[in-house]
Structure formats: structure tokens, C-alpha cells
Amino acid sequence: MIPGPLISWPFLLLVFVLPLLGAAVAIGLLVRAWCFRRQGNGDWRAFFSWTVRLATVFVVLVAAWVGLLLYKTFQFKREFAIESWQRGSRAQFVLERDFQYGEFNVPKGTLVNRRDVFDNGEPQRPLGLRGLDALQFPAPVQLAGLWVDVLETSPGHVRLTADQRISPVYHSDPESGDWVVDPSRPFIDCKAGEVAWFNTPLIDYDIQAEFTTGEPDGAAARFKPSQWQFTHCESDGGPLEIKPVFAEPMPAGATRQVFTREN
């Protein structure tokens, strides 16, 4: 919107020096007009010499340029506010209908926390679960064979809603560093309210193909609870970090997103 890079001599000249020079010339013209009137030099036509006319044209042009700068600044702030609101509304929201995400059908009413690095605040971007951070379900659901009400993906853990036995149990092999079944623990008994931690195995994908478009969403998402490798349960891990629904007022011009049929 503004010519030249943000930090350059043309930028400094057009945005700072030129308006200041225009203001100085305008003040000079006002002082000269006041002195002309005070001295009672007669016809005002005599005041408008060619130098005064050139200075007046210069001031008018600078004023128009400053007006354009102010308009563009206001427009930029407005667009930035709209884009920020639209990103926020797609990062913390409640599902308005069931949504198939990989292997799991996320139920309607689930509070979603997500971070989509490809979301630039576009007005018509489809709403989805790409970049999922956390889910808080409206009622206990069965996920990876466990009854849970909260999921956080990084690091992976779920909050249990009932006493449950988890099997198999995994640990990091000290020699290979891989996650393998722990032969010393065929199962672990966890209590309701505890947090069960798991490792998510790496899934092969084409990183170059997704570099500009992002990871797949919807039914094609790499969300496979059947492959999670549970490691342990704990009761003193502190509260889970679930952000509430994004509640900032919608600015004029923003668009409230809905899931498309393709989702």
C-alpha cells in the first residue's frame, strides 16, 4: 500500500519528510498571508505571486498525499482486524455438527482448539480441524478404546472419565530409542480424572506436496487414535490447557465461517 520497502530512504521521504515539509510550507504561507494582511498591502491578487502559487499547489498535493496515507492506514488496520478476528474464530470454536477427522467422528458441541499456520484470515476459508491442538467433548466419548472428555495432541494425552485398564503399555527402548511394548507392564490401571499419556507414531507423508497447502483435513486427516501408544497415567499433571470459545466482537466486514459440504 505504501511505495518502497518499509525501511528505506524513499519510504522515509514519502511518509515522514514530505508531510513535514508540506506542513512547514503551509505554516510559512499562513504567516506570509497574516503579515500581508497586517501590513495592509492592498489587493490580495498581489499576494499570489508565482512562488506563492507554486507553494500552494505543493501544499495541496502534500495534503492529498497525507490524506491517502491516512486512508490506507485506516484500511490496513481494518483489514488486519478482520483477518485477526477470522483467524481467531477458526482457532477456538464449538462444532456445529459432527465432523469426521481421520479415524474419529468428532461430535457436535465439541470445543475445538487448533492452530492452522496456513490460515491468513481469508474470508472464505473452509472451516476444519487441520492443526488440531485440543478437543473438549460435550459428553464422554470413546477414543482409542478409552472413555475420555478432553484430548490434547501436543504432547498427546487424554483425560479419563472412568476407571479403566489400558493395554498394551509402551516405553522408549533404551537401545534403539523406538517406542515398543513394555514387557514389564502388560497393563496399567488408571482412575477416573487421571490423564493418560500416549506417543503418536510418525506417519509417512509427502512433506513437499503439503508445504504450500498444509496437511490433509476431514476424513483424510492423519488422525489415527488406533495407533496411539499409551505410556502411563498421572493424576497430578495440573489442569489441561483448553482455551475457551473465541468471543471477541465481530468487526464490520468479517465473515462467520461454517463447514462446507466438502468437509
Side-chain angles (χ1 to χ4, degrees):
M1 291 184 292
I2 297 176
L6 290 181
I7 302 298
S8 66
W9 284 113
F11 174 82
L12 294 174
L13 175 64
L14 291 173
V15 176
F16 295 104
V17 177
L18 189 60
L20 289 175
L21 182 60
V25 173
I27 293 173
L29 287 174
L30 291 174
V31 171
R32 184 168 178 174
W34 179 82
C35 293
F36 182 87
R37 182 177 181 277
R38 184 179 179 85
Q39 293 171 2
N41 290 330
D43 193 349
W44 277 96
R45 286 178 294 183
F47 171 77
F48 286 99
S49 64
W50 68 270
T51 56
V52 171
R53 292 178 181 178
L54 285 177
T56 303
V57 171
F58 174 76
V59 170
V60 170
L61 291 176
V62 171
W65 169 245
V66 171
L68 179 62
L69 284 179
L70 293 175
Y71 171 75
K72 289 295 185 180
T73 300
F74 169 79
Q75 187 180 51
F76 172 79
K77 290 182 177 180
R78 179 175 175 272
E79 292 175 354
F80 181 79
I82 291 173
E83 292 170 356
S84 297
W85 186 91
Q86 288 174 160
R87 280 195 301 269
S89 68
R90 294 192 287 252
Q92 299 162 228
F93 64 95
V94 173
L95 279 177
E96 297 180 353
R97 65 169 176 84
D98 293 352
F99 184 80
Q100 188 69 36
Y101 188 63
E103 295 180 344
F104 183 58
N105 186 40
V106 186
K108 174 183 178 180
T110 297
L111 172 60
V112 176
N113 286 185
R114 58 188 290 267
R115 285 180 293 179
D116 184 359
V117 297
F118 292 90
D119 188 347
N120 295 314
E122 306 94 325
Q124 301 301 326
R125 188 176 184 84
L127 192 59
L129 299 189
R130 177 187 290 116
L132 180 66
D133 275 341
L135 297 173
Q136 182 171 329
F137 306 107
V141 300
Q142 196 167 31
L143 183 61
L146 303 176
W147 287 99
V148 306
D149 64 351
V150 173
L151 159 73
E152 288 191 64
T153 61
S154 183
H157 52 279
V158 292
R159 186 170 65 192
L160 306 176
T161 59
D163 296 350
Q164 297 169 78
R165 173 168 290 185
I166 300 177
S167 177
V169 182
Y170 290 79
H171 74 150
S172 179
D173 182 70
E175 295 183 1
S176 66
D178 297 331
W179 288 90
V180 298
V181 174
D182 187 350
S184 67
R185 296 184 299 163
F187 60 85
I188 50 176
D189 287 320
C190 302
K191 302 292 185 181
E194 289 188 329
V195 172
W197 293 77
F198 61 85
N199 173 65
T200 304
L202 294 177
I203 300 174
D204 292 335
Y205 64 96
D206 189 344
I207 189 172
Q208 292 184 343
E210 297 179 13
F211 183 75
T212 57
T213 59
E215 64 187 81
D217 200 0
R222 296 192 298 271
F223 186 76
K224 301 183 181 299
S226 63
Q227 299 182 8
W228 292 352
Q229 301 166 335
F230 286 91
T231 61
H232 66 286
C233 291
E234 62 181 37
S235 58
D236 57 353
L240 301 183
E241 297 180 359
I242 307 296
K243 298 178 182 178
V245 174
F246 185 77
E248 291 186 10
M250 183 171 64
T255 303
R256 191 175 298 278
Q257 307 311 121
V258 295
F259 284 92
T260 63
R261 290 183 179 180
E262 288 75 12
N263 294 131

